[in-house]
Amino acid sequence: MTYLNVLKSSIPLARFPVRGEGKLIKQLPSGRWFIDCRFNGIRIRESADSKDAATRLLILRQEEIKSGSFRKYEKTFEELAQIFLKKEVFKYGKASQAGYKRLVELHLLPFFKGKNLGKIIRFNHEGHRELTKYLESISDIPKSTFNKRKRVLAWILKLGAPEFRMPEKHDPGYVKCRNEGFSQNRFLDEDEILSIIKLLSEKYKPLGFILAYTGIDVSEAVNLKWSCIKQGRLILPRSKTNVLRRIPIAPKLQPIFGELSRVRAIGEDRIFPDHKKSGLTSSWKRAAKKAGLEWARLKDARHFFASHLINMGVDSLTVANLMGHKDVKMLRERYGHFGDSHLDNAMRVFG
């Protein structure tokens, strides 16, 4: 049986004739060039489009064998993704777990299915890699979504290659997002948010006040339970980060919780058993439009909480704890827009 006939046959790899030390690069009937040899006792079997490309590929694989990195990146993306979904994802809150699962299954797996780690993160002999190809394919989505997919993809790839890092500006393979998306540079002040809350339907007004003066997420507010209130504080983990928050109930909220407690149904733990997020969202949009603040989203109630505390001089670490952030980086990036009065007060230190 000839060499090419063996190549075409279904003989298992273990029975494939192995060449000795040195190199063997041979052209196949298809026109591609095939490498089959051993180097330092390790077998190399790959193909390339041209003889020059095959030669460069062989040199690359020999260098990898010398450095001990050969076959280090053979795990498939599916294997790494399963490790992430079954083990790593549980580091995050339940809402984040569900979001990351959807992201991996709907956006990452369809693109990287069947590709191994090396093919994804390493440059091939033509100077391309699958990672760059993927980032280019999503560079038109909003920047926040683009960065989230990059972040989750990096987490997964690091499970197989801990030394991996996403290319940064000026690095080979760096891809810039072309869609800046929604950029928040204006926050509601207290008069503005109160004008919206007062225009909410009576059913949702208490929720509006709670969102503004606790900083909790909309879903958390709609599903808030009496059992979360202990010794005058809201005690609950943030669903995204799993950070436990102890939020003192502000004096402005105490009469509201008192009235809600008075009409509480016996045996009902949910504070708002008949309320839905969709209903609150619709009511907010109508109220914001009537107040002349159409740009204000429901999430801006949480943004108001953070920006107001920062502008009133509360330190960033305290605000981060109340918000459920793991560090103050998010505060600096998102809420680092101080009002004029705060800046005026800062300059008074000079007399």
Side-chain angles (χ1 to χ4, degrees):
M1 183 178 286
T2 66
Y3 174 83
L4 291 178
N5 286 333
V6 171
L7 187 62
K8 293 177 183 177
S9 72
S10 58
I11 296 175
L13 182 63
R15 293 175 55 194
F16 198 95
V18 179
R19 308 294 170 173
E21 291 285 335
K23 61 183 179 180
L24 173 69
I25 300 178
K26 189 166 184 175
Q27 190 172 21
L28 302 177
S30 64
R32 290 180 64 80
W33 287 79
F34 186 72
I35 305 168
D36 179 25
C37 67
R38 283 187 181 276
F39 182 77
N40 289 352
I42 297 176
R43 188 173 186 189
I44 304 172
R45 287 188 74 228
E46 294 195 49
S47 65
D49 292 330
S50 67
K51 188 173 183 179
D52 287 342
T55 302
R56 291 195 299 270
L57 185 59
L58 178 58
I59 293 171
L60 175 64
R61 297 296 179 253
Q62 289 172 337
E63 290 299 321
E64 290 169 355
I65 290 172
K66 289 179 184 177
S67 65
S69 62
F70 184 64
R71 300 201 186 285
K72 180 181 177 181
Y73 303 106
E74 287 194 340
K75 276 192 175 178
T76 64
F77 186 80
E78 294 97 308
E79 290 175 308
L80 297 173
Q82 286 306 310
I83 294 172
F84 175 75
L85 293 176
K86 290 181 178 179
K87 296 180 181 179
E88 300 297 313
V89 77
F90 294 106
K91 295 178 181 177
Y92 311 99
K94 287 185 177 180
S96 292
Q97 289 176 30
Y100 292 145
K101 188 172 186 291
R102 286 194 302 271
L103 190 156
V104 171
E105 293 178 347
L106 296 179
H107 302 290
L108 298 181
L109 275 173
F111 187 91
F112 293 110
K113 189 174 182 180
K115 298 179 174 71
N116 63 28
L117 183 60
K119 188 175 179 65
I120 295 170
I121 69 175
R122 293 157 69 189
F123 291 97
N124 62 21
H125 57 278
E126 295 173 340
H128 304 296
R129 60 177 172 177
E130 294 296 314
L131 171 65
T132 303
K133 190 188 295 185
Y134 174 71
L135 295 178
E136 288 174 345
S137 74
I138 64 168
S139 59
D140 285 326
I141 65 177
K143 189 174 182 178
S144 58
T145 308
F146 178 82
N147 288 336
K148 184 175 184 179
R149 291 195 197 173
K150 272 180 67 174
R151 184 169 64 250
V152 176
L153 179 57
W155 290 341
I156 293 172
L157 297 178
K158 279 178 176 289
L159 294 174
E163 74 282 3
F164 168 77
R165 67 176 178 82
M166 278 287 177
E168 298 176 358
K169 198 172 182 180
H170 306 306
D171 287 342
Y174 171 74
V175 177
K176 181 181 179 181
C177 181
R178 295 190 290 266
N179 183 350
E180 291 296 324
F182 177 81
S183 178
Q184 185 89 5
N185 53 19
R186 161 97 158 83
F187 298 105
L188 294 167
D189 61 31
E190 193 165 24
D191 289 338
E192 289 173 332
I193 196 165
L194 288 177
S195 70
I196 294 175
I197 292 172
K198 288 175 182 176
L199 291 169
L200 289 173
S201 62
E202 290 300 319
K203 177 179 180 178
Y204 289 110
K205 276 183 183 177
L207 260 176
F209 280 108
I210 290 171
L211 286 170
Y213 293 113
T214 63
I216 63 178
D217 292 311
V218 178
S219 296
E220 293 173 331
V222 172
N223 296 295
L224 196 60
K225 296 179 179 180
W226 289 107
S227 55
C228 294
I229 301 177
K230 297 176 183 177
Q231 298 179 336
R233 287 178 170 79
L234 286 182
I235 302 176
L236 69 164
R238 188 173 181 222
S239 57
K240 282 189 175 180
T241 60
N242 230 15
V243 173
L244 185 66
R245 293 159 296 171
R246 298 170 58 84
I247 308 170
I249 295 176
K252 291 181 180 180
L253 287 181
Q254 290 172 3
I256 293 172
F257 277 110
E259 178 61 21
L260 290 170
S261 178
R262 188 181 68 78
V263 298
R264 174 185 177 185
I266 297 174
E268 177 60 66
D269 193 25
R270 280 188 63 186
I271 298 178
F272 303 104
D274 301 322
H275 291 51
K276 294 182 179 180
K277 183 178 176 179
S278 58
L280 174 59
T281 302
S282 298
S283 182
W284 177 275
K285 286 181 178 178
R286 289 193 297 270
K289 187 175 182 179
K290 288 180 183 177
L293 298 164
E294 289 184 69
W295 59 269
R297 304 166 301 159
L298 182 54
K299 195 173 182 67
D300 280 310
R302 175 173 164 81
H303 292 171
F304 157 76
F305 178 80
S307 62
H308 186 69
L309 288 176
I310 290 173
N311 276 291
M312 293 303 290
V314 179
D315 67 275
S316 297
L317 184 58
T318 299
V319 178
N321 284 331
L322 291 170
M323 296 283 287
H325 292 308
K326 289 186 176 181
D327 54 46
V328 299
K329 182 181 177 182
M330 178 68 78
L331 294 180
R332 288 196 299 270
E333 291 178 351
R334 178 167 290 173
Y335 307 107
H337 306 281
F338 295 109
D340 290 341
S341 60
H342 181 89
L343 298 175
D344 291 342
N345 289 333
M347 296 307 292
R348 289 195 179 99
V349 302
F350 296 110

